[in-house]
Every structure is written in C-alpha cells, then in structure tokens.
Amino acid sequence: MGVHCVAVGACGRVLQRAFSLHTAHPTKDMESFFQLVRNIVPALTLKKHKGQDGRIGIVGGCQEYTGAPYFAGISALKVGADLTHVFCAREAAPVIKSYSPELIVHPVLDSSNAVEEVEKWLPRLHALVVGPGLGRDDLILNNVRGILEATKARDIPVVIDADGLWLIAQQPALIHGYQKAILTPNRVEFSRLWEAVLSSPMDTQNHSGSVLKLSQALGNITVVQKGEHDVISNGQQVPVHYWWLPGVLARSRGNVTIRPSRNTGAP
C-alpha cells in the first residue's frame, strides 16, 4: 500500500508539471486542457467510414531527411486522422515506407510533373502540411511553389513548417493573405521571416507583439512561434501562450504538432 501511495503521488506531481518546464499548475487547469484535446480528437463510431475523420497530405521528404515527414504523418494518425499521404522525393520513399505500413507514400516530389501528380490528390485531402524534410533542392522547391498555388486555388488549409518556411521567406507573396495557412516557425525561422517581410529591427523583448506584427504583415495569416512558450496570433486576436510537455525539444516540435483539423484548419 505504501508503494502504491508513493507511485500515485509521483504521478500526480508529474501531471501537475505537464504544462511547463518550470511552473506547476492546478489539476483543474489540466482538466480543461484534456477536455480541449477530447473536443479535437474524433470519437469512435460505427456510423463513419474510413477517411471521414481526416485525410492529411504531407509534402516533404528528400534523400537527406526522411524522419520529419514520417513523424508529421504518423502523428496525424495517432491523434485521430484516418489517412495520411506523404508526397516525397523518389529516393526518400522506400525509407519512409519502411517506417510504417500506415502511411501512403507517393515518390513524386522531385519529378517533372510533381505538381500534376499532387494536384490530382488534392480533392481527396482535408488539409496539407508543407515542409517536413523538404530540403532546399531547386527542382523540389519549384514544384512546391506550384503545389501551394494549387492548394490555395482549392481553398485547402495548409500548415507550413521547416524548409517550407525557408521557401516562404524567399517568396512571401506565395502565402500572403491566405488565411487558411498556418506558419509554425521556431526562433531562427521566425527571424528569417521577419527580415524577409518587415525588413526592420525586431523587438526581441516583446515576442507577442512581434508575432502579431508578422501575422499582420503577411495578411493576417496564423503564425505559431514555437519555443518554451508557444505564441500564436492571427493578426487580430491577442496572442495566446501554450505550454508543452517537459522533455520535448523545441527543435523537434514542428514534426509532431501540425495535425490540422479538417473543419477549422487549426493545429
């Protein structure tokens, strides 16, 4: 009994720290958080068929980077999406397929007709994630430009991360004003976007204000600056801070936090 009580107490302390690396929060706050998660994750029911609770496309994966698109895709499945398609370079496809049989892998991203190959799948997708493991090959980036244009034309929610953000920093007009887009930069990626879009000194002491300004400069698209405390703004609302589980490194979060809802486009 004594060991059991110690274990329960230890679990309670771990849960109380689940929102911050430094601050313990009341259990009632955690219950609110868990209820939010319950509202997002689709309920199991016999009245639905496969695909109704989310069909997600991941655009990324090259010879050097195969883990990131896998994590993005498998994370979507683990939180309730039904199907995940990974559109990657040909050399990355066998590796990504070997990670999991649950992912549908298309080795088309470095082909001359990549835009057409991806575009024919867009009507079947509820949302797109662009950037995990993308790399900076000129041919692939040029194809991604076309894919983004096709995605916007179909009004599909899109989350952009990693080297997808590098592409946006080179050509901000690609995504300007498209309010179904969500950018998820870390500090370095955020600074790169700021310099490309605003070309003015950034107030490093006012992260919330900086995120708000960048979102406004990009046409009020949603920006999620990842860090110890994530800062979120759509250019209109006051930025919101979210806390992450202890031990999750900021540099790896982009691959596991980009599951868009098919209804709202929210992460």
Side-chain angles (χ1 to χ4, degrees):
M1 180 64 71
V3 174
H4 175 74
C5 291
V6 171
V8 170
C11 289
R13 288 191 294 274
V14 170
L15 286 173
Q16 280 192 318
R17 287 174 52 82
F19 289 90
S20 172
L21 294 174
H22 306 295
T23 306
H25 292 262
T27 303
K28 64 179 181 180
D29 290 347
M30 292 185 293
E31 284 301 323
S32 298
F33 175 79
F34 291 143
Q35 186 57 52
L36 176 62
V37 174
R38 293 187 191 104
N39 292 340
I40 294 173
V41 177
L44 293 176
T45 172
L46 297 177
K47 297 181 180 180
K48 292 183 178 180
H49 60 75
K50 188 174 183 179
Q52 279 188 285
D53 279 331
R55 300 187 294 272
I56 311 300
I58 311 295
V59 178
C62 61
Q63 182 179 13
E64 294 88 352
Y65 308 120
T66 57
Y70 161 76
F71 281 122
I74 206 68
S75 297
L77 294 178
K78 287 183 180 296
V79 298
D82 284 337
L83 296 170
T84 301
H85 295 257
V86 178
F87 302 94
C88 63
R90 181 169 298 277
E91 291 183 336
V95 182
I96 297 173
K97 287 182 179 181
S98 72
Y99 292 151
S100 173
E102 295 182 88
L103 303 178
I104 304 169
V105 182
H106 307 262
V108 300
L109 201 52
D110 54 348
S111 64
S112 59
N113 63 336
V115 177
E116 291 78 9
E117 287 294 321
V118 176
E119 190 171 10
K120 69 184 182 183
W121 286 95
L122 291 181
R124 309 185 192 186
L125 300 178
H126 293 124
L128 206 65
V129 176
V130 175
L134 187 63
R136 299 182 183 180
D137 177 82
D138 288 339
L139 173 60
I140 291 178
L141 291 179
N142 188 57
N143 287 337
V144 171
R145 290 186 184 94
I147 292 168
L148 282 174
E149 293 292 354
T151 300
K152 292 190 297 180
R154 290 188 174 274
D155 205 33
I156 297 173
V158 58
V159 179
I160 304 178
D161 187 59
D163 279 329
L165 295 172
W166 188 86
L167 174 61
I168 298 303
Q170 310 309 306
Q171 196 173 345
L174 266 176
I175 210 70
H176 186 278
Y178 186 60
Q179 295 184 9
K180 287 193 174 182
I182 299 174
L183 308 186
T184 60
N186 57 28
R187 291 287 177 86
V188 174
E189 293 162 342
F190 184 87
S191 297
R192 188 182 296 127
L193 286 168
W194 180 279
E195 293 174 4
V197 176
L198 291 166
S199 302
S200 62
M202 180 173 57
D203 184 356
T204 57
Q205 302 302 313
N206 183 8
H207 298 307
S208 297
S210 296
V211 174
L212 179 68
K213 288 181 181 179
L214 180 61
S215 174
Q216 292 172 339
L218 286 168
N220 288 355
I221 67 175
T222 300
V223 176
V224 182
Q225 185 190 30
K226 299 174 294 191
E228 181 182 350
H229 292 169
D230 294 346
V231 184
I232 304 175
S233 178
N234 63 358
Q236 298 175 347
Q237 299 178 355
V238 177
V240 180
H241 294 70
Y242 290 89
W243 289 270
W244 291 88
L245 296 178
V248 179
L249 298 180
R251 64 176 177 270
S252 68
R253 288 180 188 148
N255 302 325
V256 296
T257 63
I258 47 180
R259 185 264 179 178
S261 163
R262 65 187 179 93
N263 294 322
T264 65

PDB file of all heavy atoms in Angstrom, residues 20-41:
ATOM      1  N   SER A  20       4.454  23.051 -18.139  1.00  0.00           N
ATOM      2  CA  SER A  20       5.595  23.950 -18.170  1.00  0.00           C
ATOM      3  C   SER A  20       6.825  23.258 -17.630  1.00  0.00           C
ATOM      4  O   SER A  20       6.745  22.359 -16.808  1.00  0.00           O
ATOM      5  CB  SER A  20       5.292  25.201 -17.332  1.00  0.00           C
ATOM      6  OG  SER A  20       6.441  25.998 -17.199  1.00  0.00           O
ATOM      7  N   LEU A  21       7.963  23.712 -18.093  1.00  0.00           N
ATOM      8  CA  LEU A  21       9.218  23.187 -17.577  1.00  0.00           C
ATOM      9  C   LEU A  21       9.509  23.731 -16.184  1.00  0.00           C
ATOM     10  O   LEU A  21      10.318  23.179 -15.461  1.00  0.00           O
ATOM     11  CB  LEU A  21      10.366  23.567 -18.517  1.00  0.00           C
ATOM     12  CG  LEU A  21      10.328  22.932 -19.907  1.00  0.00           C
ATOM     13  CD1 LEU A  21      11.437  23.514 -20.761  1.00  0.00           C
ATOM     14  CD2 LEU A  21      10.475  21.429 -19.810  1.00  0.00           C
ATOM     15  N   HIS A  22       8.858  24.819 -15.801  1.00  0.00           N
ATOM     16  CA  HIS A  22       9.242  25.498 -14.568  1.00  0.00           C
ATOM     17  C   HIS A  22       8.108  25.651 -13.561  1.00  0.00           C
ATOM     18  O   HIS A  22       8.358  25.778 -12.379  1.00  0.00           O
ATOM     19  CB  HIS A  22       9.787  26.898 -14.896  1.00  0.00           C
ATOM     20  CG  HIS A  22      10.900  26.878 -15.887  1.00  0.00           C
ATOM     21  ND1 HIS A  22      12.115  26.293 -15.631  1.00  0.00           N
ATOM     22  CD2 HIS A  22      10.974  27.354 -17.150  1.00  0.00           C
ATOM     23  CE1 HIS A  22      12.907  26.425 -16.683  1.00  0.00           C
ATOM     24  NE2 HIS A  22      12.233  27.058 -17.621  1.00  0.00           N
ATOM     25  N   THR A  23       6.856  25.657 -14.016  1.00  0.00           N
ATOM     26  CA  THR A  23       5.755  26.021 -13.138  1.00  0.00           C
ATOM     27  C   THR A  23       4.745  24.889 -13.019  1.00  0.00           C
ATOM     28  O   THR A  23       4.323  24.322 -14.020  1.00  0.00           O
ATOM     29  CB  THR A  23       5.029  27.275 -13.680  1.00  0.00           C
ATOM     30  OG1 THR A  23       5.998  28.303 -13.876  1.00  0.00           O
ATOM     31  CG2 THR A  23       3.970  27.740 -12.698  1.00  0.00           C
ATOM     32  N   ALA A  24       4.354  24.568 -11.789  1.00  0.00           N
ATOM     33  CA  ALA A  24       3.290  23.586 -11.568  1.00  0.00           C
ATOM     34  C   ALA A  24       1.944  24.282 -11.679  1.00  0.00           C
ATOM     35  O   ALA A  24       1.784  25.429 -11.267  1.00  0.00           O
ATOM     36  CB  ALA A  24       3.442  22.947 -10.192  1.00  0.00           C
ATOM     37  N   HIS A  25       0.951  23.583 -12.249  1.00  0.00           N
ATOM     38  CA  HIS A  25      -0.369  24.155 -12.448  1.00  0.00           C
ATOM     39  C   HIS A  25      -1.420  23.283 -11.781  1.00  0.00           C
ATOM     40  O   HIS A  25      -1.255  22.073 -11.673  1.00  0.00           O
ATOM     41  CB  HIS A  25      -0.675  24.287 -13.945  1.00  0.00           C
ATOM     42  CG  HIS A  25       0.175  25.309 -14.626  1.00  0.00           C
ATOM     43  ND1 HIS A  25      -0.250  26.586 -14.886  1.00  0.00           N
ATOM     44  CD2 HIS A  25       1.448  25.242 -15.080  1.00  0.00           C
ATOM     45  CE1 HIS A  25       0.713  27.261 -15.480  1.00  0.00           C
ATOM     46  NE2 HIS A  25       1.751  26.462 -15.607  1.00  0.00           N
ATOM     47  N   PRO A  26      -2.530  23.885 -11.327  1.00  0.00           N
ATOM     48  CA  PRO A  26      -3.573  23.119 -10.642  1.00  0.00           C
ATOM     49  C   PRO A  26      -4.169  22.040 -11.535  1.00  0.00           C
ATOM     50  O   PRO A  26      -4.197  22.160 -12.757  1.00  0.00           O
ATOM     51  CB  PRO A  26      -4.622  24.194 -10.306  1.00  0.00           C
ATOM     52  CG  PRO A  26      -3.895  25.488 -10.370  1.00  0.00           C
ATOM     53  CD  PRO A  26      -2.824  25.316 -11.399  1.00  0.00           C
ATOM     54  N   THR A  27      -4.688  20.998 -10.885  1.00  0.00           N
ATOM     55  CA  THR A  27      -5.292  19.894 -11.621  1.00  0.00           C
ATOM     56  C   THR A  27      -6.470  20.362 -12.464  1.00  0.00           C
ATOM     57  O   THR A  27      -6.694  19.863 -13.564  1.00  0.00           O
ATOM     58  CB  THR A  27      -5.760  18.803 -10.641  1.00  0.00           C
ATOM     59  OG1 THR A  27      -4.646  18.375  -9.864  1.00  0.00           O
ATOM     60  CG2 THR A  27      -6.343  17.614 -11.390  1.00  0.00           C
ATOM     61  N   LYS A  28      -7.226  21.352 -11.987  1.00  0.00           N
ATOM     62  CA  LYS A  28      -8.387  21.824 -12.751  1.00  0.00           C
ATOM     63  C   LYS A  28      -7.963  22.434 -14.087  1.00  0.00           C
ATOM     64  O   LYS A  28      -8.696  22.344 -15.077  1.00  0.00           O
ATOM     65  CB  LYS A  28      -9.191  22.837 -11.935  1.00  0.00           C
ATOM     66  CG  LYS A  28      -8.448  24.124 -11.605  1.00  0.00           C
ATOM     67  CD  LYS A  28      -9.347  25.074 -10.813  1.00  0.00           C
ATOM     68  CE  LYS A  28      -8.618  26.383 -10.507  1.00  0.00           C
ATOM     69  NZ  LYS A  28      -9.496  27.313  -9.745  1.00  0.00           N
ATOM     70  N   ASP A  29      -6.757  23.043 -14.133  1.00  0.00           N
ATOM     71  CA  ASP A  29      -6.258  23.572 -15.400  1.00  0.00           C
ATOM     72  C   ASP A  29      -5.968  22.439 -16.378  1.00  0.00           C
ATOM     73  O   ASP A  29      -6.220  22.547 -17.572  1.00  0.00           O
ATOM     74  CB  ASP A  29      -4.987  24.392 -15.174  1.00  0.00           C
ATOM     75  CG  ASP A  29      -5.269  25.696 -14.453  1.00  0.00           C
ATOM     76  OD1 ASP A  29      -6.459  26.060 -14.353  1.00  0.00           O
ATOM     77  OD2 ASP A  29      -4.311  26.336 -13.999  1.00  0.00           O
ATOM     78  N   MET A  30      -5.428  21.343 -15.837  1.00  0.00           N
ATOM     79  CA  MET A  30      -5.138  20.197 -16.687  1.00  0.00           C
ATOM     80  C   MET A  30      -6.417  19.580 -17.226  1.00  0.00           C
ATOM     81  O   MET A  30      -6.474  19.132 -18.370  1.00  0.00           O
ATOM     82  CB  MET A  30      -4.328  19.162 -15.906  1.00  0.00           C
ATOM     83  CG  MET A  30      -2.916  19.638 -15.568  1.00  0.00           C
ATOM     84  SD  MET A  30      -1.943  18.353 -14.794  1.00  0.00           S
ATOM     85  CE  MET A  30      -2.800  18.177 -13.245  1.00  0.00           C
ATOM     86  N   GLU A  31      -7.464  19.556 -16.410  1.00  0.00           N
ATOM     87  CA  GLU A  31      -8.737  19.009 -16.872  1.00  0.00           C
ATOM     88  C   GLU A  31      -9.283  19.830 -18.027  1.00  0.00           C
ATOM     89  O   GLU A  31      -9.843  19.288 -18.980  1.00  0.00           O
ATOM     90  CB  GLU A  31      -9.743  18.970 -15.715  1.00  0.00           C
ATOM     91  CG  GLU A  31      -9.496  17.842 -14.733  1.00  0.00           C
ATOM     92  CD  GLU A  31      -9.553  16.473 -15.412  1.00  0.00           C
ATOM     93  OE1 GLU A  31     -10.394  16.285 -16.317  1.00  0.00           O
ATOM     94  OE2 GLU A  31      -8.740  15.607 -15.052  1.00  0.00           O
ATOM     95  N   SER A  32      -9.124  21.143 -17.971  1.00  0.00           N
ATOM     96  CA  SER A  32      -9.568  21.993 -19.075  1.00  0.00           C
ATOM     97  C   SER A  32      -8.782  21.678 -20.340  1.00  0.00           C
ATOM     98  O   SER A  32      -9.337  21.625 -21.440  1.00  0.00           O
ATOM     99  CB  SER A  32      -9.390  23.472 -18.702  1.00  0.00           C
ATOM    100  OG  SER A  32     -10.173  23.804 -17.574  1.00  0.00           O
ATOM    101  N   PHE A  33      -7.490  21.449 -20.163  1.00  0.00           N
ATOM    102  CA  PHE A  33      -6.641  21.111 -21.305  1.00  0.00           C
ATOM    103  C   PHE A  33      -7.053  19.776 -21.904  1.00  0.00           C
ATOM    104  O   PHE A  33      -7.193  19.636 -23.121  1.00  0.00           O
ATOM    105  CB  PHE A  33      -5.180  21.066 -20.854  1.00  0.00           C
ATOM    106  CG  PHE A  33      -4.234  20.609 -21.932  1.00  0.00           C
ATOM    107  CD1 PHE A  33      -3.831  21.476 -22.933  1.00  0.00           C
ATOM    108  CD2 PHE A  33      -3.760  19.312 -21.946  1.00  0.00           C
ATOM    109  CE1 PHE A  33      -2.961  21.056 -23.927  1.00  0.00           C
ATOM    110  CE2 PHE A  33      -2.891  18.881 -22.932  1.00  0.00           C
ATOM    111  CZ  PHE A  33      -2.490  19.761 -23.928  1.00  0.00           C
ATOM    112  N   PHE A  34      -7.281  18.779 -21.043  1.00  0.00           N
ATOM    113  CA  PHE A  34      -7.667  17.462 -21.538  1.00  0.00           C
ATOM    114  C   PHE A  34      -9.022  17.513 -22.235  1.00  0.00           C
ATOM    115  O   PHE A  34      -9.255  16.804 -23.210  1.00  0.00           O
ATOM    116  CB  PHE A  34      -7.707  16.452 -20.387  1.00  0.00           C
ATOM    117  CG  PHE A  34      -6.348  16.136 -19.830  1.00  0.00           C
ATOM    118  CD1 PHE A  34      -6.169  15.921 -18.473  1.00  0.00           C
ATOM    119  CD2 PHE A  34      -5.239  16.061 -20.663  1.00  0.00           C
ATOM    120  CE1 PHE A  34      -4.919  15.636 -17.959  1.00  0.00           C
ATOM    121  CE2 PHE A  34      -3.987  15.778 -20.160  1.00  0.00           C
ATOM    122  CZ  PHE A  34      -3.816  15.564 -18.798  1.00  0.00           C
ATOM    123  N   GLN A  35      -9.930  18.365 -21.752  1.00  0.00           N
ATOM    124  CA  GLN A  35     -11.229  18.491 -22.405  1.00  0.00           C
ATOM    125  C   GLN A  35     -11.071  19.102 -23.792  1.00  0.00           C
ATOM    126  O   GLN A  35     -11.766  18.709 -24.737  1.00  0.00           O
ATOM    127  CB  GLN A  35     -12.171  19.358 -21.558  1.00  0.00           C
ATOM    128  CG  GLN A  35     -13.594  19.425 -22.106  1.00  0.00           C
ATOM    129  CD  GLN A  35     -14.219  18.051 -22.257  1.00  0.00           C
ATOM    130  OE1 GLN A  35     -14.230  17.252 -21.322  1.00  0.00           O
ATOM    131  NE2 GLN A  35     -14.734  17.751 -23.445  1.00  0.00           N
ATOM    132  N   LEU A  36     -10.143  20.047 -23.928  1.00  0.00           N
ATOM    133  CA  LEU A  36      -9.861  20.626 -25.236  1.00  0.00           C
ATOM    134  C   LEU A  36      -9.368  19.554 -26.201  1.00  0.00           C
ATOM    135  O   LEU A  36      -9.796  19.486 -27.356  1.00  0.00           O
ATOM    136  CB  LEU A  36      -8.811  21.732 -25.103  1.00  0.00           C
ATOM    137  CG  LEU A  36      -8.337  22.388 -26.404  1.00  0.00           C
ATOM    138  CD1 LEU A  36      -9.494  23.082 -27.106  1.00  0.00           C
ATOM    139  CD2 LEU A  36      -7.219  23.386 -26.118  1.00  0.00           C
ATOM    140  N   VAL A  37      -8.486  18.685 -25.708  1.00  0.00           N
ATOM    141  CA  VAL A  37      -7.988  17.592 -26.535  1.00  0.00           C
ATOM    142  C   VAL A  37      -9.127  16.658 -26.926  1.00  0.00           C
ATOM    143  O   VAL A  37      -9.233  16.222 -28.077  1.00  0.00           O
ATOM    144  CB  VAL A  37      -6.881  16.816 -25.798  1.00  0.00           C
ATOM    145  CG1 VAL A  37      -6.471  15.584 -26.594  1.00  0.00           C
ATOM    146  CG2 VAL A  37      -5.672  17.717 -25.557  1.00  0.00           C
ATOM    147  N   ARG A  38     -10.002  16.350 -25.969  1.00  0.00           N
ATOM    148  CA  ARG A  38     -11.135  15.463 -26.266  1.00  0.00           C
ATOM    149  C   ARG A  38     -12.034  16.055 -27.346  1.00  0.00           C
ATOM    150  O   ARG A  38     -12.602  15.335 -28.166  1.00  0.00           O
ATOM    151  CB  ARG A  38     -11.951  15.221 -24.994  1.00  0.00           C
ATOM    152  CG  ARG A  38     -11.217  14.427 -23.910  1.00  0.00           C
ATOM    153  CD  ARG A  38     -12.149  14.094 -22.754  1.00  0.00           C
ATOM    154  NE  ARG A  38     -11.405  13.575 -21.619  1.00  0.00           N
ATOM    155  CZ  ARG A  38     -11.131  14.279 -20.523  1.00  0.00           C
ATOM    156  NH1 ARG A  38     -11.562  15.534 -20.415  1.00  0.00           N
ATOM    157  NH2 ARG A  38     -10.440  13.738 -19.539  1.00  0.00           N
ATOM    158  N   ASN A  39     -12.180  17.370 -27.349  1.00  0.00           N
ATOM    159  CA  ASN A  39     -13.024  18.020 -28.347  1.00  0.00           C
ATOM    160  C   ASN A  39     -12.418  17.945 -29.744  1.00  0.00           C
ATOM    161  O   ASN A  39     -13.136  18.001 -30.746  1.00  0.00           O
ATOM    162  CB  ASN A  39     -13.240  19.490 -27.974  1.00  0.00           C
ATOM    163  CG  ASN A  39     -14.087  19.650 -26.730  1.00  0.00           C
ATOM    164  OD1 ASN A  39     -14.806  18.738 -26.336  1.00  0.00           O
ATOM    165  ND2 ASN A  39     -13.992  20.803 -26.094  1.00  0.00           N
ATOM    166  N   ILE A  40     -11.089  17.837 -29.814  1.00  0.00           N
ATOM    167  CA  ILE A  40     -10.405  17.809 -31.107  1.00  0.00           C
ATOM    168  C   ILE A  40     -10.351  16.403 -31.681  1.00  0.00           C
ATOM    169  O   ILE A  40     -10.564  16.192 -32.874  1.00  0.00           O
ATOM    170  CB  ILE A  40      -8.978  18.385 -30.962  1.00  0.00           C
ATOM    171  CG1 ILE A  40      -9.045  19.877 -30.604  1.00  0.00           C
ATOM    172  CG2 ILE A  40      -8.179  18.186 -32.243  1.00  0.00           C
ATOM    173  CD1 ILE A  40      -7.701  20.479 -30.276  1.00  0.00           C
ATOM    174  N   VAL A  41     -10.060  15.417 -30.826  1.00  0.00           N
ATOM    175  CA  VAL A  41      -9.897  14.044 -31.301  1.00  0.00           C
ATOM    176  C   VAL A  41     -11.261  13.462 -31.672  1.00  0.00           C
ATOM    177  O   VAL A  41     -12.184  13.470 -30.858  1.00  0.00           O
ATOM    178  CB  VAL A  41      -9.224  13.169 -30.222  1.00  0.00           C
ATOM    179  CG1 VAL A  41      -9.128  11.724 -30.693  1.00  0.00           C
ATOM    180  CG2 VAL A  41      -7.839  13.712 -29.897  1.00  0.00           C
TER     181      VAL A  41
END
